[in-house]
Every structure is written in C-alpha cells, then in structure tokens.
C-alpha cells in the first residue's frame, strides 16, 4: 500500500493490546476505507500484529521495531521475515524508547527495503534528521525526545526548519511531526504547518473514549487534506 499524504499514525505502544486494540484497529480500518485518499498506520505489540493484519484491509499494520537480521541466530530479536509474513508492511525504527546504533539502523532500513516494509525512522534533532535523511527512509519522524508524551507540541520554527531541511536532501521522504499531539486541533495545526503526517499515543490511549478520539483525529487529517486540495485548485485557476 502506497503512502498518501496527509497521513496519521496511531501508536499505542504497550498501553493497548488484544481485543481492545483490535477494535480500535478495525475502527481505523473503517475510517481508512471512508477516506481512501488518506493513509492510516496502526502499530501494535508483536503478538497482536498477525491478528490485526488478518482482520483489517485498509490500514498499514506497523511493527514498533525490527532488527536487521537474517533468519538464523538471534534469540529474542525481531525477525523481519517473521513480521512480514504476519502482515506487517511498515516499521518504526530508532524510536527514543528503542534507539539504534548507526550500523544497526542502516542494516534495518536495508532489510526493510528488501522485503517491501516501509520505514518510519525517528530523529530527535534537526542534525539527526539531516543525517538520517541520507539513508532514504520512507517516513522521517521528527520528534524531540523531551516532548514525547508531554502534551506539548513542537514549536512552529522546529517543524518548519526540519520540513525544509529534509525536503532539501530528499523531496521524496514523507515528514511526520507528532511530538505532544493530544487533540484534533493539534493534528490539524501540525498538518497546516506543512507536515505530511502526524500521529498520537497518549491523546488516544488516555481519552475517555479512545475510539471517538481516534475518529476525531482522523477527521482532522481529512480537513487538512480538503484544505490542501482547495488551495491546490485555487493555484491552478
């Protein structure tokens, strides 16, 4: 499934699992079918990936990490071929909660490309984003570590600087800005600043009604899409 911008990532980390997460994934799947011009990624704990992939059709089922290893030795590692066979078509790499050394990151990206798994690679700073862009990930997540889960979004200058720097290196890389996203308004505002996509964890997992919050955030992504389309049409006339 090709990525279409704007897109949204729901990353429940280890807050949700099992039937609760499956129901949210199916809700996202319904919304992805309703808005086919958007892309929706859903991550899950490893044990839930295959079940979610079997019971959804329109979302991109995403692993929260993957090791760049070949079948064989690797006790306790996340084998790329295994998660691909489970239905995974995207993977997070170098998240602040699971950082990688450069050599490990290079190998994981290479392995993902071989299998057709799209990569969402995390960068903590503008300098790190520039360095990672050279590796040509599919999506580059620009997220200062100190803002993760804080409810405070990246400031406008950080978003605009990282957007510009990455696109100058490789205009084909999609840019994900997701630090501190907690409301549908945060989603809309971040996309209006030029990000290709955004995402959320605690804003959904801690909501009184997670499914309703997920829906509102995806509706905010669609509003941003509609406004972009309107501006594009205006520029053509």
């Amino acid at each position: 499934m090709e990525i279409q911008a704007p897109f949204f990532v729901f990353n429940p980390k280890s807050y949700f699992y099992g039937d609760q997460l499956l129901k949210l994934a199916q809700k996202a799947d319904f919304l992805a079918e309703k808005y086919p011009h958007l892309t929706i990624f859903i991550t899950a704990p490893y044990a839930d990936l295959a079940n979610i992939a079997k019971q959804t059709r329109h979302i991109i089922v995403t692993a929260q990490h993957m090791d760049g290893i070949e079948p064989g030795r690797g006790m306790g590692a996340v084998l790329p071929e295994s998660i691909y066979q489970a239905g995974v078509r995207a993977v997070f790499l170098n998240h602040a909660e699971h950082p990688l050394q450069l050599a490990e990151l290079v190998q994981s990206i290479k392995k993902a490309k071989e299998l057709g798994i799209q990569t969402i690679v995390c960068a903590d700073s503008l300098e790190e984003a520039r360095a990672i862009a050279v590796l040509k990930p599919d999506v580059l997540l620009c997220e200062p570590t100190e803002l993760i889960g804080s409810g405070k979004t990246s400031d406008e200058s950080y978003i605009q600087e990282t957007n510009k720097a990455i696109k100058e290196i490789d205009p084909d890389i999609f840019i994900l800005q997701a630090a501190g996203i907690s409301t549908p308004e945060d989603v809309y505002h971040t996309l209006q600043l030029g990000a290709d996509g955004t995402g959320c964890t605690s804003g959904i997992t801690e909501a009184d009604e997670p499914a309703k919050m997920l829906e509102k955030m995806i509706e905010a992504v669609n509003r941003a899409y509609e406004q972009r389309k309107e501006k594009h049409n205006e520029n053509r006339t």
Side-chain angles (χ1 to χ4, degrees), residues 206-223:
E206 295 181 10
D208 292 336
E209 297 180 80
K212 184 172 289 187
M213 179 59 76
L214 175 66
E215 182 171 9
K216 287 181 178 179
M217 288 189 173
I218 292 172
E219 287 172 348
V221 178
N222 187 60
R223 287 202 309 275

Side-chain angles (χ1 to χ4, degrees), residues 10-173:
F10 173 41
N11 179 24
K13 299 182 180 176
S14 296
Y15 290 100
F16 289 168
Y17 54 88
D19 290 341
Q20 183 182 26
L21 181 53
L22 175 61
K23 288 177 182 177
L24 280 170
Q26 290 174 324
K27 177 70 172 182
D29 198 56
F30 168 78
L31 293 166
E33 183 177 20
K34 181 179 179 180
Y35 303 120
H37 43 278
L38 309 180
T39 302
I40 302 174
F41 297 84
I42 303 292
T43 84
Y46 305 119
D48 292 297
L49 291 168
N51 189 37
I52 289 173
K54 286 178 183 176
Q55 299 195 58
T56 57
R57 295 177 54 202
H58 307 286
I59 59 173
I60 298 181
V61 177
T62 306
Q64 297 176 2
H65 170 72
M66 183 189 85
D67 295 295
I69 62 171
E70 300 294 334
R73 294 177 64 89
M75 180 70 173
V78 181
L79 176 66
E81 281 83 358
S82 176
I83 61 172
Y84 183 86
Q85 188 169 352
V88 167
R89 293 298 179 267
V91 62
F92 266 84
L93 295 171
N94 199 44
H95 191 275
E97 295 179 23
H98 207 314
L100 295 174
Q101 297 295 322
L102 178 59
E104 295 171 326
L105 180 58
V106 169
Q107 188 59 34
S108 291
I109 292 175
K110 178 183 177 182
K111 188 66 182 181
K113 289 182 184 294
E114 289 174 1
L115 291 174
I117 297 175
Q118 297 178 102
T119 52
I120 303 172
V121 183
C122 306
D124 174 53
S125 64
L126 178 59
E127 292 74 21
E128 191 174 22
R130 284 196 179 106
I132 291 173
V134 176
L135 302 178
K136 296 186 179 297
D138 296 290
V139 179
L140 215 166
L141 168 56
C142 304
E143 187 173 54
T145 301
E146 68 270 14
L147 296 183
I148 296 174
S150 69
K152 180 182 178 182
T153 60
S154 299
D155 62 50
E156 293 188 12
S157 62
Y158 175 87
I159 291 174
Q160 291 168 346
E161 285 177 16
T162 50
N163 289 351
K164 182 174 182 292
I166 293 164
K167 293 296 186 181
E168 285 177 348
I169 294 170
D170 188 342
D172 293 329
I173 294 174

